[in-house]
Amino acid sequence: MSGLPGADRVVIAGAGVAGATAAETLRKEGFSGEIVLAGAEVDEPYRRPALSKDVLSGKIDIARARLRPPEFWASQGITLLTGVSVVDADTTRRTVTLGDGQTLGYSALLLATGGRPRALPGTSGSRVHHLREYSDVPALRTRLTAGNSLLVLGGGLIGSEVASTATELGCQVTVLEAQDRPLARLLPALVANAVAGLHRSAGVQLCTGVALTALDADDRGVRATARDGRTWDAEAAAVAVGMTPNTELAARIGIEVDNGIVVDELLRTSADGVFAAGDVANTPNLVLGGRQRGEHWNTAQEHGVAAAKSILGTGSPFDSVPWSWSNQFGRNIQVVGWPDADDELVVRGDLDALDFTAICRRGGRIVGAITIGRPKDIRAIRTLIGASPEAEAKLLLDPSTDLAALANQDVVTRR
Ligand SMILES: Cc1cc2nc3c(=O)[nH]c(=O)nc-3n(C[C@H](O)[C@H](O)[C@H](O)COP(=O)(O)OP(=O)(O)OC[C@H]3O[C@@H](n4cnc5c(N)ncnc54)[C@H](O)[C@@H]3O)c2cc1C
């Protein structure tokens, strides 16, 4: 590889789904220069969502979770560097420094550095686990033998999935959640409570309103202590209290950072020729206004496509409505848009039976929806959010209203 500044080369920091998709898209869109995809992890790009599901349960190994077969990258003329970080960059000279000591020139640099688990201060030890990378899996997996006890700190998406997988492996799982219900940040109360019911009926001990003051660990087990004096003992703990975007590199090279790397609608950062994508990117929300940083697979993937096109000068403003999913106790939960705890809910179906679509409205417009068991609704509502958010609650509530037809009709009407 030539180390000369200004070479016709795109360097991508981070080989998660955003970075890997950008690399693939550059080629698909006809870029003929060099593409260097540098990833800090030693594993080739893989489906991260599988970590808390089939990989943790042992149903599949990491090779089956790979995004592409190993020969793919070279066949596309993409230089994949695994176990190599981008440690520095000079945005004036357009060079990056890699962890292996190389300095490379770039014509465009994409920061797709994702995030890392937020740590609870003072919690460490071989029985305290986090889950973000494949390298976190083997140690956590050894704790999940039938009959073992596990404390899950945090009832968000990843905590809930770990609780589900561990319970299905025969562990006694206790979830400690600071809010008054799990998934409180992600879902309105009625829906979150329905999911909480699913966990409880599967045998998870769900403790809410827990203000943790300590998590002590030694070589025999862990003990969590709450401010009100309650304690919980277990053989191990999984800490899942959110993630922190990896913005250090961006900040060090003088790029604007505020809850992630700040980008415009074309995913351009504050430095010329530098773009950001995926969980680390804080983007304008072109549908609802304001800004947002997503933490979803599909958004990161779409960012990868959008960033590649922006790099090539063929991009268009990123206005996609987010869509994500989670698997817990055999149920597929899908979320679209930007649901909020305080939204007005229009529920189609039966919450208690876990067969429903809950449509979220705010200020008279549809802003999101959650479903269990009705994935077709989610596709329709994704269209409605972008194309016709004012659909009346009465119409939405009517079980005879075909949401897909409604969405298509609106798309047609608006053309
Ligand atoms: C356990 C788990 C389960 C999940 N389940 C779901 C789910 O069911 N549904 C869903 O929608 N989303 C899910 N997600 C979220 C989803 O996986 C993320 O939104 C997505 O992976 C983000 O992709 P990304 O490429 O932006 O970042 P990441 O996947 O975090 O990839 C960033 C990569 O960059 C590397 N890196 C960091 N700094 C540097 C550097 N300086 N140089 C080079 N490399 C660097 C990191 O090591 C990492 O490999 C889950 C996440 C986790 C952790």
Side-chain angles (χ1 to χ4, degrees), residues 14 17-18 38 40-41 48 52-53 86 113 132 278-279 296-297 325:
V17 66
E41 289 182 75
R48 200 171 299 286
S52 47
K53 308 174 186 76
V86 173
T113 49
R132 178 78 195 180
D279 281 10
H296 308 308
W297 178 262
W325 79 96

Side-chain angles (χ1 to χ4, degrees), residues 171-190:
C171 299
Q172 296 156 25
V173 177
T174 303
V175 174
L176 306 181
E177 166 57 46
Q179 307 285 321
D180 62 357
R181 58 184 185 276
L183 298 163
R185 222 166 39 97
L186 200 65
L187 305 180
L190 273 178

